[in-house]
Amino acid sequence: MKDIYCLMTFYSLSFAVKFEKVLKEKGITVKLIPVPRKISSSCGLSGRFNPEEKEKVIQICKDNMIEYEGIYEI
C-alpha cells in the first residue's frame, strides 16, 4: 500500500517558503517538493504533510496569512 499524504499548492514561492518555515516552527513535519504537473502549474513548489495534520495546517495558514491555492490528498 502506498503512503497517503497531502500536498498544498501555493500562488507564489514566497507563500511556499513561509509555509515551510512556520510549520517547522510549530513542530509539524513538512517538505517542499515540486508540484506534480497533473495537479497545478502554480508556483512550482508544494508542501507535503501528513493528512492527519490537515485541519491544523489549514488553521496555521489562516493564522499566519499564508495564502494557498489548493490541498490535494495523494
Side-chain angles (χ1 to χ4, degrees), residues 5-62:
Y5 58 91
C6 283
L7 282 182
M8 183 173 277
T9 58
F10 304 94
Y11 293 109
S12 72
L13 181 61
S14 63
F15 285 125
V17 172
K18 183 176 180 181
F19 170 84
E20 181 185 39
K21 179 180 183 269
V22 170
L23 264 65
K24 284 185 176 181
E25 287 173 355
K26 302 282 185 185
I28 296 175
T29 302
V30 62
K31 182 176 182 181
L32 291 184
I33 63 170
V35 176
R37 291 291 167 220
K38 65 182 179 179
I39 292 178
S40 174
S41 61
S42 57
C43 84
L45 285 179
S46 59
R48 179 178 173 164
F49 60 93
N50 186 328
E52 294 172 2
E53 304 273 18
K54 184 177 177 180
E55 295 305 316
K56 187 175 182 179
V57 168
I58 290 170
Q59 189 60 52
I60 290 169
C61 287
K62 287 179 184 176

